[in-house]
Amino acid sequence: MESSALLFNQLKAADPFFLLAGPNVIESEEHIFRMAKHIKTIAAKVGLPLVFKSSFDKANRTSSKSFRGPGMVEGLKILEKVKLAYDIPIVTDVHETIQCEAVGRVADIIQIPAFLCRQTDLLVAAAKTGKIVNIKKGQFCAPSVMVNSTEKIRLAGNPNVMVCERGTMFGYNDLIVDPRNFEWMREANSPVVADVTHALQQPAGRKLDGGGVASGGLRELIPCIARTAVAVGVDGIFMEVHDDPLNAPVDGPTQWPLRNLEELLEELVAIARVSKGKQHLNIDLTPFRD
């Protein structure tokens, strides 16, 4: 818990924000090492604290035919190797209570998927590992739900919890990002993270040749959402990054190209430094007098 509290405090104090970034899913050990090397170099160059992200199992894919990853045992081995090799903290997600203990031995941040943000047993199991817990707000939830979800973590004895906005359902196959949520989610008294890539998903919105559907996305709007988030004053940016997005096996349409990462982060840092989004503006409603 002590090391988690130290990292948690470092992330909270990040100026202007911290970065959770990496490929959506572990494709191979070689790919993870290559991505970690480049993303760490870029994050250091622009001056952002980095937590490297990748998933060992994408359990909530649209189709049963979709690539899911290497599984927990092999995936955690790879994540532990990259953590030690590049001396970077790791964030990865869990889907079942039984996964939390093993994941907590490797990951520095345990991520709760949006679909599971209200699952009490899962939240408590993640909390009891003592690791930082990042709860993604469900696409079907009001921001106020995050107050209850974070309370579950704290009542389980873990004060190190953050909340993440990743969009709200807008019809059947689309998401929108309501910038007001970045402010309202502060009521959870936790660092607020903006997932600027999943927020541009179009769930089950892409028809496949031969039948079936997959998630589409609006990659070109990632900078728009990211600029908005840092201007409002979020504490962290979450983004999935890939060196070959068009051939990524999972969520290719919403992964940001590695070759454009430095350019985008430099702009976001510049916006965040001139914004006063983290400062409370006192509104004076007394009558104006000449």
Side-chain angles (χ1 to χ4, degrees), residues 24 43 69 190 201 253-254 276 279:
N24 179 285
S190 299
Q201 272 186 339
T254 52
K276 295 182 179 180
Q279 301 177 23

Side-chain angles (χ1 to χ4, degrees), residues 213-225:
V213 294
S215 290
L218 301 170
R219 182 180 11 254
E220 66 276 10
L221 294 181
I222 289 172
C224 171
I225 300 302

Side-chain angles (χ1 to χ4, degrees), residues 4 14 24 56 74 79 86 112 139 168 181 186 209 219 221 252 254 278:
S4 292
N24 179 285
F56 54 80
E74 183 61 28
L79 290 176
Y86 291 106
I112 305 297
Q139 303 93 324
T168 302
N181 287 350
R186 296 187 196 280
D209 294 338
R219 182 180 11 254
L221 294 181
T254 52
K278 291 185 179 181

Side-chain angles (χ1 to χ4, degrees), residues 7-52:
L7 176 61
F8 187 65
N9 289 330
Q10 289 173 343
L11 295 177
K12 284 199 301 181
D15 181 23
F17 57 86
F18 60 85
L19 178 66
L20 311 181
N24 179 285
V25 66
I26 298 171
E27 299 173 28
S28 69
E29 182 174 319
E30 184 274 333
H31 184 253
I32 285 294
F33 268 70
R34 185 169 71 250
M35 293 296 297
K37 174 185 175 182
H38 287 295
I39 294 174
K40 179 180 179 179
T41 299
I42 292 169
K45 187 174 180 180
V46 299
L48 295 176
L50 170 69
V51 181
F52 183 73

Side-chain angles (χ1 to χ4, degrees), residues 231-248:
V232 171
V234 296
D235 301 286
I237 290 290
F238 175 105
M239 61 190 310
E240 292 188 332
V241 182
H242 203 281
D243 55 343
D244 187 10
L246 293 180
N247 291 300

Side-chain angles (χ1 to χ4, degrees), residues 4-197:
S4 292
L6 179 62
L7 176 61
F8 187 65
N9 289 330
Q10 289 173 343
L11 295 177
K12 284 199 301 181
D15 181 23
F17 57 86
F18 60 85
L19 178 66
L20 311 181
N24 179 285
V25 66
I26 298 171
E27 299 173 28
S28 69
E29 182 174 319
E30 184 274 333
H31 184 253
I32 285 294
F33 268 70
R34 185 169 71 250
M35 293 296 297
K37 174 185 175 182
H38 287 295
I39 294 174
K40 179 180 179 179
T41 299
I42 292 169
K45 187 174 180 180
V46 299
L48 295 176
L50 170 69
V51 181
F52 183 73
K53 184 270 171 186
S54 199
S55 300
F56 54 80
D57 181 18
K58 305 304 294 184
N60 57 348
R61 296 298 86 194
T62 302
S63 169
S64 60
K65 300 175 183 179
S66 299
F67 178 74
R68 288 181 53 168
M72 185 176 73
V73 174
E74 183 61 28
L76 289 178
K77 288 179 181 178
I78 294 172
L79 290 176
E80 186 170 31
K81 286 180 181 179
V82 79
K83 175 180 179 176
L84 296 173
Y86 291 106
D87 190 28
I88 48 176
I90 297 292
V91 54
T92 195
D93 40 359
V94 293
H95 294 86
E96 302 177 78
T97 57
I98 197 172
Q99 296 175 330
C100 291
E101 184 178 351
V103 172
R105 289 195 289 267
V106 175
D108 301 275
I109 301 178
I110 295 179
Q111 186 162 279
I112 305 297
F115 288 133
L116 303 175
C117 69
R118 304 194 312 179
Q119 295 295 104
T120 302
D121 289 347
L122 182 61
L123 290 167
V124 170
K128 287 184 175 179
T129 65
K131 297 305 178 76
I132 300 168
V133 181
N134 182 34
I135 309 173
K136 288 198 168 185
K137 182 185 75 65
Q139 303 93 324
F140 48 90
C141 290
S144 57
V145 170
M146 293 294 95
V147 174
N148 295 331
S149 294
T150 54
E151 182 182 54
K152 294 176 183 180
I153 302 294
R154 295 188 178 107
L155 289 176
N158 188 342
N160 305 316
V161 56
M162 55 182 65
V163 293
C164 182
E165 166 65 32
R166 58 94 73 223
T168 302
M169 290 302 301
F170 189 64
Y172 289 114
N173 302 116
D174 206 0
L175 295 168
I176 58 169
V177 176
D178 184 347
R180 297 176 298 178
N181 287 350
F182 297 133
E183 189 66 30
W184 288 334
M185 285 170 65
R186 296 187 196 280
E187 295 176 8
N189 195 28
S190 299
V192 175
V193 180
D195 180 343
V196 301
T197 46

Side-chain angles (χ1 to χ4, degrees), residues 274-285:
V274 298
S275 170
K276 295 182 179 180
K278 291 185 179 181
Q279 301 177 23
H280 181 70
L281 178 62
N282 291 317
I283 302 174
D284 186 352
L285 295 178

